Amino acid sequence: MLIKKYVSMEKTDNGYLIHADTADVMIVFMTEHIVRIRTSFDKTFRESSYALVTTAWEDDLDELLSEERKRIEPALVEVEETDKKITFTTKEMVLTLRKDPFSFVLKDLQGNLIYKDLKERAYEKDHLGRLFHYTCMDPQKDHFYGFGEKTGHLDKKGRRMRMSPKDAIGHDPEIGEPLYKHIPFYMRTDENTGKTVGFFYNNAHDSVFDMGNEISGYWERYAYYQVDGGDLDLFLIYGPDAKRVVDGYTYLTGRPALPTKQSLGYTASTMYYAELDENCDEEIYQVIQKHFDEKIYIDNFWLASGYSAGEEDKLRYIFNWNRKRFPDPEGFFQKMEEMGINVIPNMKPGILPKHPYMDTFVKNDVFVKTPYGQKDYEGRWWGGQGKFVDFTSESGRNTWKELLKKTLLAKGSKTVWNDNCEYDGIEDRKAICDNNGKGGTMEDLKIIHSNMMAYVGKEALNEMYPTERPYIINRAGYAGIQRYAQVWGGDNLTDWRTVKFNIATILGMGLSGVPNMGCDIGGFAGPAPEGELLLRWIQSGVFQPRFCMNSANSDNTVTQPWMYEEHLEHIREAFALRYRMMPYLYSLMRQAHETGVPAMRPLFLEFPDDTLCYGDEHLTFMFGPSVLVANVVEKDAKTRTLYLPKGSLWYDMNDKHKCYEGGQSITISVDFGTIPMFLRGDAVFMTTEDVHQASTDVMKSLDFIISAEKGTSFLYYDDDGHSKDYEYGVYKRTWISVTPGEKITLSFDSEGTYEDPVERMTLRVMSKDKGALYVSVDDEQLPRFLVKDNLDEANKGWYYDLSTRMVLIKTERPHKEKFDIIISREKFDLIGMEQEEEF
């Protein structure tokens, strides 16, 4: 059943309702650059979205999501109608409805094409009840990014992908799918114009995205979305650039949660640590101490599900404590906290028949039901058939929350780790869920349980620790999961291809509104990684927001950072780099919290005018706006080839900041210690030497590397790293603006009431052509040193380093909101007289 032609249109309270020959279509302009086009073949338009936090209509879940959701007034549009078309014009775009054949076209105000439907085949419902949306594509110039968690290269042009979350243990990192997440959002970019449009399909049914894999000679080239039920509920998000599309998507589905600083520290885990017959706690203490002894910095420990195993049958019973393995849970949490370690216990939503709280679950009627609703559904689970908590029911959520508080949070846990929450064990899609009293099935609610499991964790943490930021980790998730949880890439395979393609997986998640992501370092499924692979994986992992090593090795081994003595020195260096970069990473995560833009960024996000960045397959990325990273991801590599985007100079941070012109591919030599990093020509990058454990150490000094090829700026952000005080202005936001020229001016402008602990600053400022005449901080000139050793011993001063051609500056931080640092490079003669300007 196709929509072939327009019949009529009527104005509604918030938009327009189009009557076509076989369906109705709702149009709502959410903003000047976001429009909702919802196509319903049954014409009911029921509003019940777990994903949206911004609406312009009443929704069944408004009460449930009242603390997250806001209702807006839709944008005003100009409407023109002729015999052949209806045109809707906002201040940023023009949406045209072609009446026959029925289809939409989107253009910018200058008439440039942004998107168009496939004529005569745009909207379809087939004989099986599946719905299709076909859009035109250009296979030469269009690129497709996002789609949540996917394998292979970042650009999905030519791919056909399914969204039906699975417990995808050991999946192929290049071609395997589907995986754990279901995020029906992508962006399409025209490489010739750089113009980007986002497509968010607000529908949780299983779906397929085909980005030009399918070809039919009867039609121009097309892409399509196929979904098993519901409506074609499309939100078109016009950029024109990719950053604004991500911003628009997270405006609709929720901003990413601001992480704690501790959560950005290293996390150790393995299933083995919690599987000993007895006294696992003592073994774990020794493991943590080993990290300290080896100077492997650590902040968190994932406690695998073995802690909850039955003492007789070893089966997993969430909320249960195995007292042989952990005789004193409260004491265990307390001692680990004294060591500066956040313990994060594993939680699973499946309930086995002999569960010690089964009577409570049954009494409160918490489980998903069979298709006819007569009894609890039983499906495949760890250790046999299990029942599944219905997180769409108030009773299920409340029961889970109270047990979580009683058995874990009250004992000292401060983080919720939701594992196995894909609900893959419920194969019958007609199984019944409560859906907040409205009724529903697993067909449209399967992946919703993962989000609502995180929602319950957030509620429980807020009730137990009302002043602290809730920290939640999820394996599965639907659109909007970013507002609750950090996520990880599930049970990845120990393989060289995994360390390579996990980079693209994380980049794709970042473009899908989920910036707080990481993949298990060293691999989870398979044998232990060889030494070189582990080293390269750690060197890659230090840039991932979730920095965690986790394993269930098939060869009776445990993956640990110190397992290969021959690589330990370089592994220590990588861990030290991660912790040095904490102030920069935390600032990037604050930006992600405000705009959705991730810390790990594909090159085109920063360089949209460079067409070679759209198809970059070197698996490089920008770490924030300032640093390009080209991790070594091939075995026995002696060189690394990468592309440097045009429009900038690039400085090799491993080779005395050797300068390269952008717009070229280069090949550099690498060894085991090399983490290729290139500073952008206009950049502000910051590190610290003071933080070796995020939960305990105070940052007293801040070190900058600055390049001033062009004017640039960076927002440095800091707060206490754990509380909700930032919501009340207790933070420090410092705009660092760089003005290039003969006098390079670094302007610092701060706001917020947080007491910044930084007392000292060092700066390395690029000045390749010549040295400086003077350096001043807040109008006070600093002493110049001609011997670098003397600067090293001094509290303040500057020195020009000819090996790197950088001006090295040491200073106390001025205790004021605004101040400038000036590096004068004016001409002068040998007796210090400034040369007069010649006319």
Side-chain angles (χ1 to χ4, degrees):
M1 180 164 50
L2 287 166
I3 301 181
K4 294 184 178 180
K5 60 182 180 180
Y6 164 91
V7 175
S8 64
M9 180 178 75
E10 60 183 279
K11 183 73 177 70
T12 64
D13 290 340
N14 57 11
Y16 303 87
L17 183 62
I18 309 294
H19 302 290
D21 52 354
T22 57
D24 282 353
V25 179
M26 172 198 300
I27 301 177
V28 180
F29 286 87
M30 303 290 290
T31 70
E32 304 289 348
H33 73 115
I34 301 174
V35 58
R36 183 190 199 189
I37 304 174
R38 181 175 181 180
T39 303
S40 177
F41 284 88
D42 65 15
K43 306 180 183 181
T44 58
F45 294 111
R46 178 184 172 188
E47 300 288 5
S48 184
S49 175
Y50 289 88
L52 296 172
V53 297
T54 304
T55 65
W57 49 83
E58 288 188 12
D59 187 286
D60 287 346
L61 302 178
D62 282 343
E63 183 177 355
L64 176 68
L65 303 178
S66 60
E67 294 185 3
E68 306 174 35
R69 179 170 285 171
K70 65 178 179 181
R71 189 181 305 175
I72 62 170
E73 290 293 324
L76 297 176
V77 297
E78 295 181 9
V79 183
E80 268 186 58
E81 182 173 0
T82 68
D83 291 342
K84 294 184 177 181
K85 63 184 181 180
I86 302 175
T87 303
F88 305 88
T89 303
T90 77
K91 294 178 181 178
E92 298 192 31
M93 61 186 185
V94 179
L95 180 71
T96 300
L97 168 61
R98 297 182 293 199
K99 292 183 176 181
D100 189 4
F102 188 97
S103 58
F104 287 97
V105 176
L106 185 69
K107 295 183 178 182
D108 65 15
L109 296 182
Q110 289 71 46
N112 297 305
L113 179 65
I114 306 301
Y115 138 86
K116 67 176 180 178
D117 289 330
L118 185 63
K119 282 197 308 181
E120 300 171 347
R121 196 182 174 183
Y123 303 93
E124 177 184 358
K125 183 175 184 179
D126 74 3
H127 60 291
L128 299 177
R130 300 175 302 182
L131 296 97
F132 297 79
H133 179 214
Y134 290 88
T135 63
C136 295
M137 65 168 287
D138 185 324
Q140 271 67 54
K141 68 179 182 180
D142 284 343
H143 301 272
F144 300 88
Y145 310 104
F147 306 96
E149 184 182 60
K150 293 296 175 186
T151 57
H153 282 287
L154 181 64
D155 186 0
K156 306 307 182 191
K157 180 163 57 179
R159 287 280 299 270
R160 187 176 191 274
M161 299 159 288
R162 186 178 179 219
M163 290 191 185
S164 178
K166 298 287 184 284
D167 186 349
I169 184 169
H171 55 271
D172 187 290
E174 187 172 5
I175 61 173
E177 70 135 36
L179 301 184
Y180 306 84
K181 319 295 190 297
H182 182 144
I183 301 177
F185 167 79
Y186 72 94
M187 59 178 67
R188 185 175 70 199
T189 299
D190 180 334
E191 69 173 38
N192 290 346
T193 65
K195 293 185 183 296
T196 301
V197 61
F199 298 74
F200 170 48
Y201 292 93
N202 181 35
N203 188 321
H205 288 76
D206 286 359
S207 59
V208 170
F209 288 85
D210 188 303
M211 300 295 107
N213 181 279
E214 178 179 296
I215 299 174
S216 171
Y218 293 100
W219 310 92
E220 59 183 302
R221 291 295 299 273
Y222 58 82
Y224 72 81
Y225 165 72
Q226 169 195 315
V227 66
D228 286 353
D231 285 349
L232 293 170
D233 191 5
L234 170 63
F235 289 78
L236 278 175
I237 307 165
Y238 173 50
D241 58 69
K243 285 184 179 179
R244 194 157 182 245
V245 170
V246 175
D247 180 85
Y249 171 72
T250 55
Y251 170 76
L252 293 173
T253 63
R255 302 300 190 188
L258 181 64
T260 64
K261 288 182 180 178
Q262 187 172 22
S263 72
L264 299 176
Y266 172 64
T267 299
S269 182
T270 178
M271 290 191 68
Y272 175 82
Y273 293 145
E275 293 295 331
L276 304 179
D277 288 336
E278 58 183 20
N279 298 327
C280 293
D281 52 352
E282 295 296 333
E283 178 75 15
I284 291 169
Y285 299 148
Q286 294 180 36
V287 169
I288 301 301
Q289 188 59 50
K290 177 68 172 176
H291 282 81
F292 295 157
D293 295 343
E294 295 290 351
K295 294 183 171 56
I296 302 292
Y297 307 150
I298 183 171
D299 270 280
N300 308 282
F301 180 80
W302 270 20
L303 182 61
S305 58
Y307 79 92
S308 67
E311 294 181 8
E312 302 300 326
D313 58 18
K314 307 294 176 65
L315 298 178
R316 269 48 174 174
Y317 300 116
I318 184 61
F319 305 129
N320 176 65
W321 280 92
N322 184 313
R323 296 288 174 157
K324 293 181 180 179
R325 295 177 174 180
F326 294 88
D328 178 13
E330 292 90 345
F332 172 65
F333 281 110
Q334 181 177 350
K335 183 164 183 176
M336 292 286 277
E337 185 173 3
E338 290 170 356
M339 300 173 82
I341 303 299
N342 177 31
V343 177
I344 305 171
N346 182 278
M347 300 177 64
K348 305 179 189 297
I351 306 299
L352 293 171
K354 294 183 180 180
H355 196 288
Y357 291 103
M358 179 58 81
D359 289 346
T360 300
F361 291 131
V362 171
K363 176 184 175 183
N364 293 346
D365 191 22
V366 306
F367 296 123
V368 173
K369 304 300 180 188
T370 57
Y372 297 102
Q374 296 175 340
K375 59 180 181 178
D376 299 332
Y377 185 95
E378 295 185 1
R380 294 178 67 87
W381 190 242
W382 282 45
Q385 293 291 101
K387 300 180 180 182
F388 300 85
V389 175
D390 183 354
F391 284 98
T392 72
S393 82
E394 184 177 8
S395 177
R397 292 194 297 270
N398 288 340
T399 301
W400 186 269
K401 180 173 67 174
E402 293 309 312
L403 287 172
L404 169 59
K405 290 161 61 176
K406 171 185 173 183
T407 64
L408 290 174
L409 302 187
K411 295 183 184 304
S413 176
K414 295 180 179 178
T415 303
V416 172
W417 169 18
N418 295 323
D419 199 5
N420 300 88
C421 47
E422 304 80 21
Y423 277 55
D424 197 17
I426 303 180
E427 276 301 305
D428 193 330
R429 295 294 196 269
K430 296 299 182 182
I432 291 176
C433 306
D434 178 79
N435 195 21
N436 295 284
K438 302 293 184 180
T441 66
M442 289 297 289
E443 181 182 14
D444 59 333
L445 294 167
K446 177 176 180 282
I447 192 59
I448 299 300
H449 292 279
S450 61
N451 279 32
M452 294 310 294
M453 192 176 180
Y455 172 94
V456 174
K458 180 179 179 179
E459 279 198 327
L461 288 167
N462 282 337
E463 291 173 15
M464 290 295 293
Y465 305 107
T467 64
E468 297 295 301
R469 278 174 234 173
Y471 175 25
I472 300 151
I473 306 162
N474 260 46
R475 190 170 79 173
Y478 179 58
I481 188 60
Q482 71 273 2
R483 63 185 189 254
Y484 302 127
Q486 178 188 75
V487 301
W488 88 101
D491 298 340
N492 58 354
L493 183 67
T494 302
D495 188 282
W496 272 97
R497 291 177 305 141
T498 305
V499 69
K500 179 179 179 179
F501 286 108
N502 275 176
I503 293 171
T505 298
I506 295 168
L507 293 176
M509 282 290 281
L511 293 179
S512 304
V514 189
N516 197 345
M517 165 79 169
C519 297
D520 285 346
I521 295 167
F524 182 86
E530 60 179 295
E532 183 185 357
L533 175 56
L534 179 64
L535 170 64
R536 296 307 191 190
W537 217 320
I538 291 171
Q539 290 173 335
S540 177
V542 299
F543 300 99
Q544 300 174 16
R546 172 197 175 267
F547 180 38
C548 177
M549 186 177 294
N550 187 27
S551 64
N553 296 344
S554 59
D555 55 2
N556 298 324
T557 61
V558 179
T559 302
Q560 300 179 112
W562 52 80
M563 59 196 291
Y564 295 106
E565 181 67 31
E566 64 271 28
H567 294 295
L568 188 53
E569 177 185 354
H570 297 315
I571 286 172
R572 285 195 190 102
E573 290 172 356
F575 271 78
L577 174 64
R578 166 61 171 225
Y579 277 77
R580 280 201 300 271
M581 296 189 300
M582 278 290 198
Y584 182 71
L585 176 58
Y586 193 58
S587 297
L588 297 178
M589 297 309 288
R590 174 66 186 196
Q591 182 181 354
H593 169 66
E594 294 177 334
T595 68
V597 176
M600 288 178 60
R601 306 173 182 178
L603 302 188
F604 73 82
L605 207 65
E606 291 295 327
F607 298 92
D609 295 330
D610 187 343
T611 58
L612 293 181
C613 290
Y614 290 102
D616 174 43
E617 295 200 353
H618 293 298
L619 290 166
T620 58
F621 59 91
M622 293 297 297
F623 187 50
S626 301
V627 177
L628 186 151
V629 180
N631 288 116
V632 181
V633 292
E634 303 288 351
K635 181 177 172 60
D636 298 327
K638 299 296 187 293
T639 61
R640 177 62 156 105
T641 299
L642 63 141
Y643 176 73
L644 298 171
K646 69 180 179 181
S648 177
L649 297 176
W650 296 93
Y651 301 100
D652 187 343
M653 299 172 73
N654 289 286
D655 188 11
K656 297 181 180 180
H657 291 87
K658 179 181 177 180
C659 184
Y660 292 89
E661 287 281 350
Q664 63 171 322
S665 293
I666 64 170
T667 299
I668 60 172
S669 298
V670 298
D671 57 29
F672 283 147
T674 306
I675 305 177
M677 299 170 63
F678 291 79
L679 187 74
R680 188 173 178 169
D682 48 327
V684 177
F685 181 60
M686 63 201 63
T687 60
T688 185
E689 299 293 334
D690 297 339
V691 178
H692 299 160
Q693 193 175 56
S695 61
T696 60
D697 295 335
V698 177
M699 184 172 62
K700 296 286 188 178
S701 61
L702 201 54
D703 307 316
F704 292 90
I705 305 177
I706 294 173
S707 52
E709 174 195 359
K710 294 178 289 189
T712 189
S713 63
F714 184 82
L715 179 58
Y716 164 61
Y717 177 84
D718 198 16
D719 58 27
D720 65 20
H722 65 89
S723 79
K724 297 177 183 175
D725 288 351
Y726 74 93
E727 296 177 352
Y728 308 101
V730 186
Y731 54 72
K732 187 66 68 176
R733 296 165 59 101
T734 303
W735 278 104
I736 304 169
S737 301
V738 180
T739 304
E742 287 293 283
K743 288 185 178 181
I744 298 174
T745 302
L746 314 177
S747 298
F748 293 74
D749 188 352
S750 300
E751 67 175 17
T753 60
Y754 176 65
E755 291 293 329
D756 190 345
V758 172
E759 299 172 351
R760 299 174 300 279
M761 298 165 53
T762 67
L763 303 96
R764 288 183 287 166
V765 182
M766 206 73 64
S767 183
K768 289 292 185 182
D769 54 341
K770 58 184 174 181
L773 173 61
Y774 68 84
V775 174
S776 67
V777 177
D778 194 28
D779 294 328
E780 176 188 349
Q781 289 197 18
L782 299 182
R784 177 179 183 176
F785 293 91
L786 298 178
V787 178
K788 185 175 181 299
D789 291 347
N790 294 336
L791 175 66
D792 294 340
E793 295 174 1
N795 289 324
K796 61 182 179 179
W798 67 275
Y799 169 81
Y800 185 62
D801 181 14
L802 279 164
S803 66
T804 60
R805 292 192 171 271
M806 303 175 83
V807 180
L808 312 184
I809 304 167
K810 290 178 67 175
T811 180
E812 296 177 349
R813 183 181 69 84
H815 291 285
K816 52 184 11 182
E817 298 300 302
K818 295 183 180 182
F819 63 90
D820 290 341
I821 296 177
I822 296 174
I823 300 94
S824 172
R825 304 182 306 152
E826 299 163 275
K827 294 180 181 179
F828 58 95
D829 62 23
L830 292 178
I831 60 173
M833 298 293 290
E834 295 183 23
Q835 294 185 3
E836 293 184 3
E837 187 176 355
E838 296 183 1
F839 294 93

